[in-house]
DNA sequence: GCGTTAATTAACGCTTATTGGAAATAAAAA
DNA sequence: TTTTTATTTCCAATAAGCGTTAATTAACGC
């Protein structure tokens, strides 16, 4: 039920420096509990929790419950959606748009 | 002098539905005067002008003066920057990450 | 059951963004 | 020069977002 989402919500969620840092941390380290993420910015647990909620509601991260911990990870579809959008305009921004990139474009556009 | 910019600002600017619609319109139609863009949303000219300013300051669009009109267009680098970011995590979100996409990745990352 | 740990929710204030309307600026047309 | 068209800036009001502390829920070990 958190599938049909437009890119605007995604961009809005990533538009905050703290949330962007959270996402990059998760992209690099994989799945992490909320507590560990406190390190990415100097803010309280509640503040972190609310940022995670925003990311969750935007469909950017998924939450998994493990005992009293909440494990977060980035949803691949979210990043892929951003890539698909940018790629769909590749002939505009890419000076060297050629057969090779067109192949990937077709592939990821599917 | 509006080159060194982080993705966060870009995402923040695109996080607004009106501004995202403006950018998509410009991506599809190319260069357009501010007046023509009024059509993308039901808002006053001043409101539109302010949205365009945000996009300009985020480095997403460029402005060209033609007589009394201001012509706007998307800066290719802005969309490319988004693509580069997503591509840099392609091995995470792409289930079928292979040699072909790796080639494009190397290419666009340059 | 109790206390501890992990995380979220609630309530509050503060700062920043956004908006509409009016006025200002600038160039072209009459 | 006066008028018209296009766009931006100024201003006041409203709305949204973010952070903090305090309270709450949930699960573990003793």
């Amino acid at each position: 039920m958190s599938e049909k989402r437009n890119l605007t919500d995604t961009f809005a969620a990533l538009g905050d420096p703290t949330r962007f840092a959270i996402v990059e941390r998760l992209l690099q380290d994989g799945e992490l509990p909320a507590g560990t993420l406190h390190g990415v910015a100097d803010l309280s647990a509640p503040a972190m929790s609310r940022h995670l909620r925003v990311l969750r509601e935007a469909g950017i991260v998924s939450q998994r419950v493990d005992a009293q911990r909440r494990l977060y990870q980035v949803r691949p579809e979210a990043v892929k959606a951003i890539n698909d959008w940018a790629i769909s305009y590749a002939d505009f921004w890419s000076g060297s748009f050629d057969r090779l990139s067109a192949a990937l474009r077709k592939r990821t556009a599917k």
Side-chain angles (χ1 to χ4, degrees), chain A:
Chain A
M1 32 230 56
S2 58
E3 290 306 324
K4 254 308 157 36
R5 217 165 274 296
N6 49 8
L7 265 190
T8 307
D9 292 335
T10 301
F11 286 146
L14 292 177
D16 178 82
T18 301
R19 286 194 291 268
F20 186 74
I22 291 171
V23 169
E24 288 222 301
R25 179 72 191 279
L26 288 174
L27 282 169
Q28 283 158 22
D29 295 5
E31 196 176 43
L32 290 176
T36 302
L37 289 167
H38 289 186
V40 307
D42 183 30
L43 35 71
S44 64
M48 171 60 65
S49 184
R50 283 195 314 125
H51 279 302
L52 287 171
R53 170 198 269 269
V54 172
L55 289 172
R56 208 187 321 137
E57 292 181 344
I60 297 173
V61 303
S62 62
Q63 187 197 55
R64 187 169 69 86
V65 176
D66 170 48
Q68 66 268 72
R69 295 187 312 169
R70 266 73 171 178
L71 298 172
Y72 287 90
Q73 67 180 67
V74 176
R75 295 181 63 242
E77 305 93 321
V79 186
K80 182 176 184 305
I82 293 174
N83 183 74
D84 288 352
W85 178 77
I87 286 285
S88 75
Y89 293 108
D91 49 352
F92 167 71
W93 56 260
S94 172
S96 59
F97 190 69
D98 55 24
R99 219 159 284 129
L100 177 62
S101 47
L104 175 63
R105 184 192 185 189
K106 209 180 279 176
R107 170 172 297 229
T108 57
K110 159 161 154 271

